[in-house]
Amino acid sequence: MRAILPGKPQARLQAVCTVQWEGLRLVVYISGNGIVILTGPTELLQTLYLEDCSALIAVDIDETTGKIATASPTNIYVYRPYGKEEGLLKWSLQCVIPRQEQEPENLTLSWGTDAELLIGSNSLRLFQIATQESEVWRRRLPMPVKLAKFSHDASFIASTGSYDRLIKLWRRQSSGADDTRFDFTYLPHPTAVTAIHWRRHNTREQTSDHTLYSICGDRKTRVWAAIDPHGVHGLQLWAEIDMQASIQPRQLNSISQSSDRFGFIIDSQDFSRSTAAAIGTVDKAESQEHHALQHLLEVTKSNPELCIVIDRHGHMSAWGLENVGKKGRKATDVFNIAHVENFGIAFSGPGSLENSNVQLLPFCREQSAAQLSLLVHHYNGRIEWLECKFEELFDPSPQQERISRRTLWTGHEGSIKKIVRSISGKVVLSRTNENEAVIWRQGHGESDLGLTLSSTLNSPEHIHRSWLLHNGDFVINLHHRSISLWAAGSSSALQISTCPFDLDGRLVCLVQLPEPSLDSNTIHVAAITTRGKGIVWSLSTPHSSHQKSQAHDPHSPGLEQFCTFDLNIQDDLAFMLPVDPAGSTSWTSSSLDTFAQDIAISYSTAGKLRTWTAVVDANRSAVEWLVTSTVETGIKNPSLTSASSIRKAALVDASRTGLTIWDMRSCQLEHDVQYNNLDLIGDLDWSSTPDNQSLLAIGFPHKIIILAQMRYDYLSVGPAWAPIREIDTKDSTPHPIGDSVWLGSGNLLIGAGNQLFVYDKTIDSADYMVSDLAVPVHKHGSMNLFDLITYLNGPLPLFHPQFLSQCILAGKLVQVQHIVVGLHKALRYFTEGDELDSFVSMAPEELIEESQPSLASKGSVLRAAGVSANEAEVDYGEVVPLLTEKLTRVSIPQLSSREQIHLVDMIECVSTVDKHRRSMDDNAIRYLLFFRHHMIRKSQVPADKAGITFREIAWAYHSGSQDILVDLVTRQFQGRMLWENAKEGGIFMWMSDLTALRAQFEVIARNEYTKTDEKNPIDCSLYYLALKKKNILIGLWRMAAWNREQSSTQRLLSNNFQEARWKTAALKNAYALLGKRRFEYAAAFFLLAGNLQDAVNVCLHQMRDLQLAVAVARVYEGDEGLVFRRLLEEKVLPQAALEGNRWLATWAFWMLGRRDMAVRALISPVHTLMDFAEAPNMQARSYLANDPALVVLYKELRGKSLQTLKGASRISPKEEWDFVIQNARLYDRMGCDLLALDLVRNWEFLKQPKQLPSEEDSVPDPRKMLRRRSSLVVDDLTSPKSPTGMRAGMGKPPPQKVFEEPEANSLLDNFGF
């Protein structure tokens, strides 16, 4: 559902027309240089724009062919329909007919039969437009016509001029392309004729009963009929209806009386069909009790024509005409049907003709519940669509409302350039290039999508920026050298104050400043230039309605300059604009700090984003500005930005095709997308749900894409933003989108051309964008936009797979088992449609208690879940198959089908881990769980070739159960682990025992050799040479008699490669193999030559296999080898800094023996810990670089040894505080609110020493830092040298230690005294 404001209709006699064409009601009207085609109150079929003219003059549509003719000052355009049979009805240009020279601007159009088009101006011209246009008749006129209309069968033409009291009646004598002739007579009237109407028949072929209705200035309706068909005049006067005397108000006061009369005719065939359909739906018993219906039945018996007369105060008189055109008219042939009040048409007040005149176009709809529809064309730029039932219209009993308004069409004449919303979003201002502005107000009801025109504003100066005050009662316009204040309380806004100014730089921003309280009646607005200079104006606005009505008083307060200011920006200011007030309906602030609400955002040419707030100091007549957040985006010369008041910002690159979304609070990138080069981004608009979940509308020339905020997902690396809706405007209008804005209700307002479209919040779950998201469609067929966003961002149920995963990472495996058992119990008697408790009867306190229950007490876990003592004896492994079987049959309302599959996988993984629980530590459990989960996902999605991440590698690396993990991973691959399997599990990255590492590498070598039936030694050469077991390789080549390279390779391998000549031979072979792109074999020959560095480089650069490079280096020379350490320092750590990969960085630092740096890398950005000249890429700025599992590893490692304590001591309390708070926010954004609460409730900060150590390599006493005296700290300060120096003293030799006598107290402390 949507509401449409198609544009302001022209104030012309032929600006609107409507016909019933092939079962479709079409309404066509002209607005500016556009033709608007509708088929219902909110059903816009098409908008046609004529670029070569500024305004159209007339329009008419042929009810036989559906062709549309329109006139501009220079040409007549004819459009023909196409695509109706395919369900895609549109119109395209058929022909252009040039207008005559020296022809007056006004003309009239009328369609006849057989695609005949009558054009009336200072002559009447008849064109035949079937396949191509041809003029078949022309007659010069003494004066231009105002109206010229064909009769229904095209036998007559009735024409009249401006202020003409004669109707010239043209009667067709002959027809044909070569011989079309008309003669004419006159129908005299006492005063000027104002309207004419031909009676319509069922078919155009019906040639009898020609009846013409005319209305003239004496307020009488005259009926002209063919009483004597053979008479000279053709039509004779049959009856008159005195419209003035028809309405006699019951009250005699002058307020309720009006001399103006408006009338329209309802043809008998339309009236009969619509009333017959309505009466047929009512049973006889009900109709007898319904007096109004009985009255209608009596009226319809005579099948009359209806003449409806109304005045400005809602009085209506309905007249019936029987036997029209028959000789010997009886007095009863014209009779009064009803005289009623409250005919609800909102006429404008008396005034100029342009403002007061209206045109009424009635039509009947058989399929509609309302029998009569009425188009009311107000000449002040409005078209109303009214509807009513005949029995209610003619009911003589008093009624409050006889007719209801379905819609109102109005808008601009020129193209919309900018739309500005009030802070509340209930009022908007739309502005054109011609400085014409319209203030719109939104309806009060939730279902009311329409906007009501509140006021119009026409500025003599160019409007640079606009701002709405006091919910649209006042408007501030910023011009190039002045600022003006307008009162918009009436239909036409009035300028009440103006203030000139002079500023250095280009104006870029107009923003209202926060006030200390909502009760303040003083408002401050600021204008800012690209030089960072600005002026603040103050104005006092009235609050009461009485004061507002007096706002036009020249003595009312106006704008006054308050102060000037300088933002003191060192770099350039490319642009600055107000933030979208998403999630906020107030604009108040009394403090100047980073917690204050943002009011503006700026960006520089270097891509630096800043958000700003300000506070007004009335005592000092000054304004203080504060930068609340700064983000270095690295995007050069951005073209567009937008931010919300809840610190979300979007930035568009210079090409207008790349979009990034940033969280300004945490300074991290949330979304990065590149659009098609043909789709240039032109607009960004922010909105939010009531619970502050963000929405972003991205405007392209002909479409709007709405992005929705989503939960963070670090395990599946899901997107943080996703498109949920695409609005395409090309079907409705060819004009590009000018601007768009969110209304306060969540509806989206789009301005394209001179039209406004309001799209509601309803979203179809079957839409491909929504179906790609994890939305439970079994619950919603269609859903509210805000409900969808809440579902995608709200707190997760405890049994959601993401929540369970994060619990396991946080070391809460017992609680996970508790949740699974609780879910099993809740689903025992669960059926479709039942409500399911998101907590599955688990108390939230159990997840945030600091003391963890015993891992071995499985029965206590089950009993805690509410399971009886007998049921608690059931093994956890027995619950899993029952629960998984239930989950395959029942749809859980809180989960989508995809999430439910992931839940089954997670439960099975927990079951697998539970079997090995007693023999593994927590880190091994974390690794095994997610490795197993990865293998299950891989079996479901075979195309997924990615292995585990460095997060899982870090868990396994810090595990003390690596031997068990190796065995379990090997079993996962049926005991035959190849290199691709080892790489998938990251084994050679996390194994710390070099002996076991080499033994496992030899297993890989054997498996690589035997992986094919032919047993090719080339497949295992790299592995055996890395193990320095050349003799085994020679033996394998000896058995490879089938290989044509056997003899030469065997002879080469039998040589002594300690000699220089054979090293050179091996190197030549290696380079030759590189040229043939046999990279793995080339690396093997580099090893044969003893050149480990080149072999590692081939693995890293040509094969792009970091794990293979690490494995070869570790196996060949150990963890202390020069090549391996250089690989870590020159390749791995720079890569980690470039990508912001903290998991990779902490692993590399730990491998280097720099455990202090490994701890710091978990908190600080990696590039700050190294001499790294290159700027981090977008991946390093992403939210994915800040995994909340980092805080778990940090908590585990910081007190593990003296080195880690040293690293933790280098982290300031503020850094650690920010780290914990940021991770709590990440948990909250993931939907894991309970884990965020658990983190902030149970986190223990290290005790900071009163005096920091003077030397950088010295370590404070761990007993004074750790809060738990039972902690065991390992002394690991002796570390090997590093070949290259790094920041923070990396690689420096430890200072010489001097033995000092310990104090007696310290000795006693060691024994607990």
Side-chain angles (χ1 to χ4, degrees):
M1 181 183 179
R2 64 179 187 178
I4 304 173
L5 295 165
K8 182 179 180 180
Q10 303 285 64
R12 295 182 180 271
L13 285 174
Q14 261 196 297
V16 189
C17 60
T18 178
V19 297
Q20 185 81 8
W21 175 65
E22 295 188 2
L24 194 64
R25 171 57 58 176
L26 297 177
V27 179
V28 183
Y29 77 90
I30 51 176
S31 175
N33 65 334
I35 308 170
V36 183
I37 309 171
L38 305 106
T39 185
T42 59
E43 290 83 31
L44 177 65
L45 285 180
Q46 192 179 5
T47 304
L48 301 167
Y49 285 99
L50 282 75
E51 301 299 334
D52 60 344
C53 73
S54 58
L56 297 175
I57 297 170
V59 68
D60 195 27
I61 182 168
D62 185 5
E63 64 176 310
T64 304
T65 62
K67 293 182 179 181
I68 297 173
T70 188
S72 74
T74 56
N75 295 303
I76 312 295
Y77 302 86
V78 178
Y79 294 85
R80 59 186 172 194
Y82 66 93
K84 187 176 188 298
E85 296 179 355
E86 294 80 9
L88 300 171
L89 178 60
K90 298 294 177 185
W91 277 259
S92 63
L93 183 65
Q94 176 182 340
C95 63
V96 179
I97 303 173
R99 295 187 57 176
Q100 294 177 316
E101 296 182 1
Q102 299 179 348
E103 192 176 53
E105 183 184 58
N106 291 331
L107 58 67
T108 181
L109 302 170
S110 181
W111 286 96
T113 58
D114 300 327
E116 290 180 330
L117 178 63
L118 177 67
I119 302 173
S121 181
N122 54 3
S123 65
L124 289 179
R125 292 190 295 161
L126 184 61
F127 283 83
Q128 179 65 243
I129 305 174
T131 55
Q132 59 183 7
E133 71 280 7
S134 61
E135 183 175 314
V136 296
W137 178 72
R138 175 189 297 206
R139 177 63 66 92
R140 292 284 300 177
L141 299 174
M143 62 181 296
V145 298
K146 178 178 69 173
L147 295 171
K149 291 186 178 182
F150 266 121
S151 64
H152 196 236
D153 62 352
S155 299
F156 288 90
I157 299 174
S159 66
T160 184
S162 300
Y163 309 108
D164 194 349
R165 67 180 189 86
L166 299 175
I167 292 179
K168 188 174 287 187
L169 188 66
W170 304 80
R171 181 161 52 183
R172 189 189 294 262
Q173 299 296 318
S174 62
S175 61
D178 299 326
D179 186 22
T180 299
R181 291 181 294 116
F182 288 85
D183 64 358
F184 66 89
T185 59
Y186 291 102
L187 303 180
H189 292 71
T191 57
V193 177
T194 58
I196 55 178
H197 169 78
W198 283 102
R199 180 184 180 183
R200 297 180 68 257
H201 300 282
N202 293 327
T203 61
R204 279 191 180 269
E205 288 74 19
Q206 188 174 347
T207 58
S208 60
D209 299 335
H210 295 106
T211 304
L212 177 67
Y213 299 88
S214 64
I215 301 175
C216 69
D218 62 352
R219 298 185 179 89
K220 288 185 179 181
T221 298
R222 290 171 171 82
V223 184
W224 305 85
I227 302 173
D228 183 8
H230 304 290
V232 176
H233 294 287
L235 298 180
Q236 295 82 33
L237 182 63
W238 184 79
E240 288 183 354
I241 298 176
D242 191 340
M243 301 170 64
Q244 183 70 37
S246 296
I247 297 178
Q248 299 296 332
R250 299 173 182 176
Q251 300 177 1
L252 298 179
N253 57 339
S254 59
I255 298 177
S256 64
Q257 297 184 13
S258 172
S259 60
D260 293 335
R261 296 291 183 266
F262 306 91
F264 58 90
I265 306 297
I266 301 176
D267 295 315
S268 59
Q269 53 107 7
D270 291 336
F271 176 63
S272 300
R273 278 203 304 264
S274 59
T275 53
I279 295 172
T281 59
V282 182
D283 56 27
K284 294 183 178 180
E286 182 180 353
S287 63
Q288 291 177 358
E289 297 178 359
H290 200 311
H291 298 291
L293 196 59
Q294 283 292 317
H295 180 58
L296 182 61
L297 286 171
E298 291 296 327
V299 172
T300 56
K301 288 180 179 179
S302 56
N303 193 22
E305 310 278 328
L306 299 185
C307 177
I308 310 296
V309 183
I310 55 177
D311 68 0
R312 292 187 178 275
H313 297 292
H315 303 108
M316 184 204 77
S317 179
W319 294 84
L321 294 88
E322 295 181 3
N323 304 318
V324 177
K326 293 190 177 181
K327 294 182 179 180
R329 180 177 70 86
K330 302 177 185 178
T332 56
D333 285 345
V334 179
F335 58 94
N336 185 263
I337 298 175
H339 184 93
V340 298
E341 298 177 352
N342 297 326
F343 188 85
I345 296 181
F347 291 98
S348 58
S352 66
L353 176 64
E354 181 182 0
N355 290 330
S356 63
N357 200 10
V358 297
Q359 186 179 9
L360 305 172
L361 287 81
F363 57 91
C364 300
R365 306 176 73 188
E366 298 178 39
Q367 291 80 14
S368 174
Q371 300 142 25
L372 175 65
S373 296
L374 183 64
L375 295 178
V376 183
H377 174 205
H378 299 266
Y379 278 40
N380 61 0
R382 297 177 295 141
I383 296 177
E384 285 185 287
W385 183 309
L386 306 176
E387 288 187 348
C388 68
K389 294 182 178 181
F390 279 117
E391 65 266 25
E392 295 176 357
L393 182 64
F394 299 149
D395 189 354
S397 60
Q399 292 191 22
Q400 290 295 324
E401 187 174 318
R402 299 179 183 273
I403 192 166
S404 61
R405 186 168 75 183
R406 287 290 306 278
T407 191
L408 185 142
W409 296 326
T410 184
H412 290 274
E413 289 188 41
S415 297
I416 296 171
K417 177 183 179 182
K418 184 68 178 174
I419 305 176
V420 181
R421 60 167 269 176
S422 65
I423 295 174
S424 66
K426 297 179 180 178
V427 181
V428 294
L429 177 145
S430 54
R431 193 177 73 236
T432 67
N433 290 319
E434 292 77 23
N435 302 314
E436 174 204 15
V438 177
I439 296 95
W440 309 87
R441 296 185 184 273
Q442 192 177 15
H444 299 290
E446 181 67 25
S447 60
D448 189 0
L449 299 179
L451 293 175
T452 303
L453 191 151
S454 174
S455 183
T456 57
L457 185 154
N458 288 281
S459 172
E461 295 183 71
H462 174 73
I463 300 176
H464 196 58
R465 296 285 187 273
S466 298
W467 193 272
L468 292 167
L469 299 175
H470 274 301
N471 216 22
D473 290 329
F474 296 91
V475 180
I476 286 183
N477 288 326
L478 182 66
H479 314 286
H480 288 303
R481 291 300 172 190
S482 66
I483 187 171
S484 59
L485 174 66
W486 298 70
S490 59
S491 59
S492 295
L494 298 177
Q495 181 175 323
I496 59 176
S497 179
T498 185
C499 187
F501 65 86
D502 187 15
L503 275 177
D504 184 21
R506 179 171 57 92
L507 286 169
V508 290
C509 183
L510 174 68
V511 61
Q512 180 181 346
L513 303 181
E515 303 298 334
S517 67
L518 288 172
D519 299 330
S520 174
N521 64 344
T522 302
I523 293 176
H524 297 84
V525 292
I528 306 167
T529 69
T530 51
R531 300 290 181 87
K533 312 291 184 181
I535 298 180
V536 178
W537 294 273
S538 66
L539 62 148
S540 298
T541 57
H543 282 290
S544 68
S545 59
H546 173 71
Q547 289 175 306
K548 289 177 183 178
S549 65
Q550 303 298 322
H552 311 322
D553 190 334
H555 301 291
S556 63
L559 285 168
E560 296 180 357
Q561 183 170 324
F562 181 73
C563 69
T564 59
F565 61 87
D566 190 343
L567 296 178
N568 296 317
I569 302 177
Q570 301 302 322
D571 53 2
D572 62 317
L573 178 65
F575 206 79
M576 187 171 183
L577 70 161
V579 301
D580 290 336
S584 174
T585 56
S586 63
W587 210 254
T588 61
S589 178
S590 58
S591 60
L592 190 67
D593 51 40
T594 56
F595 297 100
Q597 181 174 309
D598 295 338
I599 62 170
I601 184 172
S602 65
Y603 64 84
S604 65
T605 55
K608 178 183 284 188
L609 286 176
R610 295 185 181 93
T611 55
W612 300 80
T613 189
V615 65
V616 178
D617 190 342
N619 296 327
R620 296 190 300 114
S621 296
V623 173
E624 297 182 31
W625 291 83
L626 177 68
V627 177
T628 57
S629 61
T630 303
V631 174
E632 295 279 0
T633 65
I635 299 174
K636 304 299 182 184
N637 300 313
S639 58
L640 186 64
T641 190
S642 180
S644 69
S645 55
I646 52 179
R647 298 201 177 167
K648 300 289 183 184
L651 189 68
V652 180
D653 62 11
S655 65
R656 285 187 175 266
T657 58
L659 171 73
T660 54
I661 299 178
W662 302 81
D663 186 336
M664 300 298 293
R665 182 176 281 105
S666 58
C667 302
Q668 62 188 13
L669 175 67
E670 292 192 338
H671 191 61
D672 185 4
V673 62
Q674 196 75 25
Y675 292 102
N676 192 296
N677 290 333
L678 300 177
D679 291 332
L680 301 182
I681 301 173
D683 188 31
L684 299 169
D685 293 289
W686 286 96
S687 182
S688 71
T689 63
D691 53 350
N692 280 352
Q693 311 295 346
S694 297
L695 283 164
L696 176 63
I698 309 169
F700 298 92
H702 294 283
K703 66 180 179 181
I704 300 281
I705 294 179
I706 300 176
L707 296 183
Q709 173 183 310
M710 298 182 68
R711 298 185 188 95
Y712 287 165
D713 185 356
Y714 290 92
L715 301 177
S716 301
V717 196
W721 290 80
I724 60 171
R725 189 175 186 181
E726 181 175 323
I727 299 172
D728 195 337
T729 61
K730 279 191 287 189
D731 290 339
S732 302
T733 173
H735 207 287
I737 295 173
D739 198 8
S740 61
V741 73
W742 290 97
L743 301 177
S745 61
N747 300 325
L748 183 63
L749 178 64
I750 300 174
N754 64 339
Q755 299 175 328
L756 290 168
F757 304 89
V758 184
Y759 290 85
D760 67 356
K761 301 191 293 287
T762 304
I763 288 184
D764 186 4
S765 298
D767 187 272
Y768 76 97
M769 288 187 173
V770 180
S771 61
D772 288 343
L773 306 174
V775 178
V777 295
H778 54 261
K779 183 178 180 181
H780 306 284
S782 63
M783 57 196 316
N784 185 286
L785 178 64
F786 285 176
D787 294 338
L788 175 62
I789 305 303
T790 300
Y791 173 81
L792 295 174
N793 292 275
L796 293 170
L798 298 191
F799 47 81
H800 194 282
Q802 172 154 294
F803 188 85
L804 297 180
S805 302
Q806 293 300 324
C807 284
I808 293 167
L809 289 175
K812 299 181 181 294
L813 181 63
V814 173
Q815 283 85 344
V816 170
Q817 293 176 336
H818 180 165
I819 294 169
V820 171
V821 173
L823 179 62
H824 170 65
K825 180 184 176 183
L827 291 180
R828 280 180 177 177
Y829 307 106
F830 179 83
T831 58
E832 296 281 352
D834 292 348
E835 293 291 332
L836 185 62
D837 182 16
S838 296
F839 287 89
V840 288
S841 302
M842 181 177 180
E845 294 80 7
E846 296 180 42
L847 276 168
I848 60 176
E849 287 179 356
E850 186 177 6
S851 59
Q852 301 295 330
S854 173
L855 294 173
S857 58
K858 206 172 299 180
S860 63
V861 175
L862 296 171
R863 287 192 292 273
V867 182
S868 64
N870 294 332
E871 294 171 328
E873 300 301 325
V874 178
D875 184 48
Y876 176 79
E878 297 178 5
V879 173
V880 171
L882 298 174
L883 180 57
T884 54
E885 191 274 334
K886 184 76 172 179
L887 289 173
T888 57
R889 293 186 294 104
V890 176
S891 296
I892 296 179
Q894 290 97 325
L895 301 179
S896 67
S897 56
R898 189 188 311 169
E899 291 169 340
Q900 200 157 323
I901 293 172
H902 292 176
L903 175 60
V904 173
D905 297 342
M906 184 61 64
I907 293 173
E908 291 179 352
C909 292
V910 173
S911 176
T912 303
V913 169
D914 185 64
K915 297 174 183 177
H916 306 279
R917 182 66 189 90
R918 294 180 180 275
S919 57
M920 294 189 299
D921 57 15
D922 287 346
N923 285 337
I925 288 176
R926 294 183 179 109
Y927 172 84
L928 182 60
L929 181 81
F930 292 104
F931 174 74
R932 175 66 180 158
H933 185 63
H934 161 72
M935 296 305 298
I936 292 177
R937 292 290 306 279
K938 180 184 174 183
S939 65
Q940 296 170 351
V941 187
D944 188 5
K945 301 294 184 183
I948 60 174
T949 65
F950 271 94
R951 177 181 54 240
E952 285 73 46
I953 290 174
W955 297 127
Y957 181 64
H958 292 288
S959 170
S961 312
Q962 292 183 355
D963 52 344
I964 300 175
L965 288 181
V966 172
D967 180 61
L968 292 173
V969 172
T970 304
R971 277 195 243 166
Q972 181 66 45
F973 300 107
Q974 292 78 41
R976 289 182 54 82
M977 185 183 295
L978 302 175
W979 170 250
E980 62 177 356
N981 306 134
K983 180 182 177 182
E984 197 171 354
I987 284 181
F988 293 96
M989 304 291 286
W990 52 257
M991 287 184 69
S992 55
D993 186 351
L994 282 176
T995 303
L997 181 79
R998 291 188 173 105
Q1000 189 63 38
F1001 204 70
E1002 189 168 0
V1003 172
I1004 298 293
R1006 287 196 301 268
N1007 293 336
E1008 287 288 338
Y1009 174 68
T1010 59
K1011 69 180 180 181
T1012 60
D1013 294 336
E1014 60 187 9
K1015 297 181 180 179
N1016 193 346
I1018 296 176
D1019 295 337
C1020 62
S1021 297
L1022 176 63
Y1023 304 95
Y1024 278 117
L1025 291 176
L1027 288 164
K1028 300 178 182 178
K1029 294 187 178 183
K1030 185 183 69 170
N1031 293 332
I1032 296 178
L1033 189 59
I1034 293 174
L1036 297 178
W1037 272 109
R1038 191 177 296 119
M1039 293 182 289
W1042 56 270
N1043 196 317
R1044 62 181 182 178
E1045 299 178 1
Q1046 182 201 27
S1047 59
S1048 58
T1049 306
Q1050 194 173 352
R1051 285 196 304 271
L1052 179 64
L1053 291 175
S1054 62
N1055 296 301
N1056 183 9
F1057 286 90
Q1058 299 299 322
E1059 299 178 10
R1061 58 173 293 200
W1062 296 114
K1063 281 188 178 181
T1064 303
L1067 289 175
K1068 287 182 178 179
N1069 279 279
Y1071 288 119
L1073 289 167
L1074 281 178
K1076 296 179 180 179
R1077 303 189 65 82
R1078 298 174 66 182
F1079 299 130
E1080 184 178 326
Y1081 205 25
F1085 273 88
F1086 278 123
L1087 290 178
L1088 189 62
N1091 195 336
L1092 174 62
Q1093 184 66 62
D1094 285 341
V1096 168
N1097 288 339
V1098 170
C1099 295
L1100 191 64
H1101 299 297
Q1102 274 72 35
M1103 299 180 67
R1104 299 186 182 276
D1105 194 339
L1106 173 63
Q1107 290 197 37
L1108 184 59
V1110 169
V1112 169
R1114 294 185 71 190
V1115 169
Y1116 192 86
E1117 64 175 2
D1119 291 348
E1120 303 301 325
L1122 183 65
V1123 173
F1124 178 56
R1125 298 180 68 81
R1126 185 179 291 121
L1127 171 66
L1128 295 177
E1129 293 177 357
E1130 297 179 3
K1131 300 296 182 182
V1132 176
L1133 283 174
Q1135 178 184 341
L1138 183 67
E1139 299 174 354
N1141 192 333
R1142 299 184 183 184
W1143 297 103
L1144 179 60
T1146 188
W1147 171 84
F1149 278 126
W1150 201 281
M1151 274 288 188
L1152 288 168
R1154 292 308 309 269
R1155 298 183 177 181
D1156 55 337
M1157 302 292 284
V1159 172
R1160 293 178 63 184
L1162 295 172
I1163 290 184
S1164 304
V1166 182
H1167 68 274
T1168 63
L1169 305 177
M1170 304 164 51
D1171 290 326
F1172 187 65
E1174 188 176 355
N1177 60 17
M1178 281 293 183
Q1179 187 177 347
R1181 297 182 173 97
S1182 171
Y1183 74 97
L1184 294 171
N1186 301 311
D1187 192 332
L1190 290 166
V1191 77
V1192 179
L1193 186 60
Y1194 170 75
K1195 186 176 182 180
E1196 179 182 331
L1197 295 184
R1198 67 178 180 180
K1200 200 168 188 177
S1201 68
L1202 290 179
Q1203 271 207 64
T1204 59
L1205 274 173
K1206 173 188 171 184
S1209 68
R1210 300 296 176 214
I1211 299 170
S1212 67
K1214 184 179 185 305
E1215 282 184 289
E1216 187 174 358
W1217 168 272
D1218 293 341
F1219 179 62
V1220 173
I1221 296 302
Q1222 181 188 24
N1223 280 278
R1225 289 198 187 105
L1226 294 178
Y1227 275 131
D1228 180 67
R1229 180 67 186 273
M1230 295 171 69
C1232 305
D1233 303 63
L1234 288 177
L1235 294 182
L1237 179 60
D1238 171 67
L1239 177 64
V1240 298
R1241 183 179 185 270
N1242 299 321
W1243 184 261
E1244 290 184 354
F1245 291 91
L1246 291 177
K1247 292 182 178 179
Q1248 293 296 320
K1250 294 183 180 179
Q1251 291 184 348
L1252 293 175
S1254 57
E1255 297 184 16
E1256 187 171 344
D1257 286 335
S1258 60
V1259 182
D1261 189 347
R1263 295 167 300 171
K1264 296 180 180 180
M1265 296 181 65
L1266 298 173
R1267 298 179 182 272
R1268 299 177 184 269
R1269 302 303 293 271
S1270 60
S1271 300
L1272 178 64
V1273 181
V1274 178
D1275 186 359
D1276 58 351
L1277 281 178
T1278 304
S1279 59
K1281 282 189 176 182
S1282 175
T1284 56
M1286 291 190 180
R1287 195 178 299 174
M1290 184 175 173
K1292 294 181 180 179
Q1296 296 291 330
K1297 294 185 178 179
V1298 180
F1299 175 77
E1300 295 182 1
E1301 183 79 27
E1303 297 181 0
N1305 290 337
S1306 65
L1307 294 175
L1308 292 175
D1309 284 342
N1310 287 337
F1311 291 94
F1313 296 104

